[in-house]
Amino acid sequence: MNSNKMKAIICTKYGPPEVLEIREVEKPIPKVNEVLVKVYATTAHVGDTRIRGLRVPGGFLARLFLGLTKPRWAVLGMEFSGVIESVGKEVTKFKKGDPVFALPGFKFGAYAQYNCMPEDGVLALKPANITFAEAAAVPAGGITTLICLKKANIRAGQKVLIYGASGSVGTYAVQLCKYHGAEVTGVCSTANLELVKSIGAGKVIDYTKEDFTRSGETYDVVFDAVDKMSSSRGKKSLKKTGIYLRVGRDSGSGGDLKTADLIFLKELIEAGKLKPVIDRSYPFEQIVEAHRYVDRGHKKGHVVITLEHGE
């Protein structure tokens, strides 16, 4: 392959996973304030799958923002890990060879062999004690969870219920609430009860067998980590002063603190207080299969995509 070219996964139009195609495209060149990262791993994030399938709220206005007939960003991918290949001449925080993880977010671009990030972007050195595959699964779910939980000021002694505790945000929420000293109850399906217990939930409720709103138990915080519950139902089990959180509604801000959040997550991981949960890993060439699996709606934690220049 020409050294000025790279492989990327292109989203050719809206539709099922089969609209994703691997093509050869121009390799990006970092600007003076950017780093060029050789991507080792990314994820089949639910945000990528929703945009690919145009399953987003907002109707025509959303389509104006995202692109009318196909995504405005041909190369999706909201988070990744890798190694810095080169740096722009004004970059001072990073150097060639640094292992990093990053959240391009709605700038996308992680579904490629290389991606450029501004040094002041949501970018940090990779946690030393986890793999590149695990690190790729941290930025989006981890930062989203932090933004939501900050709104409830989670603290020791609180009782917190997490609905959808085995998903991307849910697995981080269980661990982060436990870290802050809260008593955590996780709601999930039968198959995931042991997983949710293993990452720190003191109690687990199987939603296929029990309705938590009928137990009479009340909580300081109820967090719908999957956006699958009505607000009225979620609020039934709140204490009078309790706080109801919903991931889609309460993760929409965070501003300039996101890089600090990523560094905080790195520190927790290195301290052994937090670990990404990986359900499955697919090679780059099997992106269609990875998206198919995520579309089923039952993944545990994260689905990782690995590139051949691997660990």
Side-chain angles (χ1 to χ4, degrees):
M1 187 167 60
N2 186 317
S3 62
N4 295 323
K5 299 281 188 180
M6 67 172 182
K7 288 181 183 176
I9 295 160
I10 305 296
C11 189
T12 58
K13 58 186 175 183
Y14 295 118
E18 289 74 17
V19 301
L20 299 172
E21 296 179 6
I22 296 178
R23 294 185 184 173
E24 202 170 276
V25 300
E26 292 294 321
K27 183 177 171 181
I29 298 169
K31 296 173 184 172
V32 292
N33 67 328
E34 290 182 336
V35 299
L36 175 69
V37 183
K38 180 185 278 191
V39 178
Y40 280 25
T42 179
T43 63
H45 187 276
V46 69
D48 294 307
T49 66
R50 285 177 179 165
I51 289 169
R52 183 219 73 227
L54 199 60
R55 298 190 307 274
V56 292
F60 184 69
L61 284 177
R63 206 159 178 157
L64 275 179
F65 172 71
L66 294 172
L68 289 173
T69 59
K70 61 183 179 181
R72 191 184 302 277
W73 306 270
V75 180
L76 297 175
M78 301 179 75
E79 57 187 342
F80 68 92
S81 66
V83 172
I84 292 180
E85 173 109 334
S86 63
V87 301
K89 63 182 181 182
E90 292 179 8
V91 171
T92 59
K93 295 179 184 175
F94 300 95
K95 64 183 185 304
K96 181 179 178 178
D98 279 347
V100 293
F101 65 150
L103 178 75
F106 286 108
K107 293 180 181 175
F108 299 101
Y111 284 3
Q113 290 179 313
Y114 295 89
N115 193 22
C116 285
M117 285 286 294
E119 74 164 334
D120 290 325
V122 187
L123 174 74
L125 293 175
K126 179 185 84 68
N129 59 334
I130 60 173
T131 65
F132 282 97
E134 290 172 314
V138 174
I143 292 173
T144 296
T145 307
L146 280 176
I147 291 169
C148 290
L149 294 181
K150 282 176 187 175
K151 296 184 177 182
N153 187 27
I154 304 294
R155 54 199 179 274
Q158 283 186 320
K159 290 171 66 177
V160 180
L161 179 131
I162 297 162
Y163 186 83
S166 60
S168 166
V169 169
T171 51
Y172 285 124
V174 169
Q175 295 177 81
L176 288 166
C177 289
K178 184 189 178 191
Y179 168 76
H180 286 296
E183 295 175 32
V184 181
T185 298
V187 180
C188 59
S189 66
T190 315
N192 298 327
L193 294 173
E194 288 307 315
L195 164 67
V196 173
K197 274 187 195 171
S198 75
I199 58 174
K203 296 179 185 175
V204 288
I205 296 172
D206 182 345
Y207 72 78
T208 69
K209 297 178 179 175
E210 182 184 346
D211 181 351
F212 75 88
T213 67
R214 297 186 176 183
S215 68
E217 193 75 61
T218 56
Y219 302 90
D220 298 289
V221 180
V222 172
F223 181 20
D224 180 357
V226 283
D227 268 348
K228 290 185 178 177
M229 181 168 52
S230 67
S231 296
S232 58
R233 182 164 174 253
K235 291 175 180 176
K236 277 183 184 177
S237 298
L238 276 180
K239 293 181 179 178
K240 284 186 179 178
T241 56
I243 294 174
Y244 174 65
L245 296 172
R246 189 168 183 167
V247 65
R249 180 194 65 193
D250 292 308
S251 62
S253 62
D256 298 333
L257 296 177
K258 287 181 180 178
T259 306
D261 285 342
L262 190 61
I263 292 167
F264 175 64
L265 292 168
K266 164 184 155 63
E267 290 168 351
L268 284 186
I269 290 166
E270 290 184 333
K273 303 291 186 185
L274 186 71
K275 190 168 177 65
V277 172
I278 308 298
D279 183 337
R280 295 187 179 189
S281 182
Y282 293 83
F284 193 67
E285 293 73 22
Q286 291 181 18
I287 186 69
V288 170
E289 289 86 343
H291 270 237
R292 270 196 209 123
Y293 180 66
V294 174
D295 279 354
R296 290 181 206 159
H298 299 295
K299 71 177 177 68
K300 299 182 280 288
H302 306 266
V303 173
V304 173
I305 310 296
T306 56
L307 282 80
E308 59 194 23
H309 34 241
E311 291 300 328

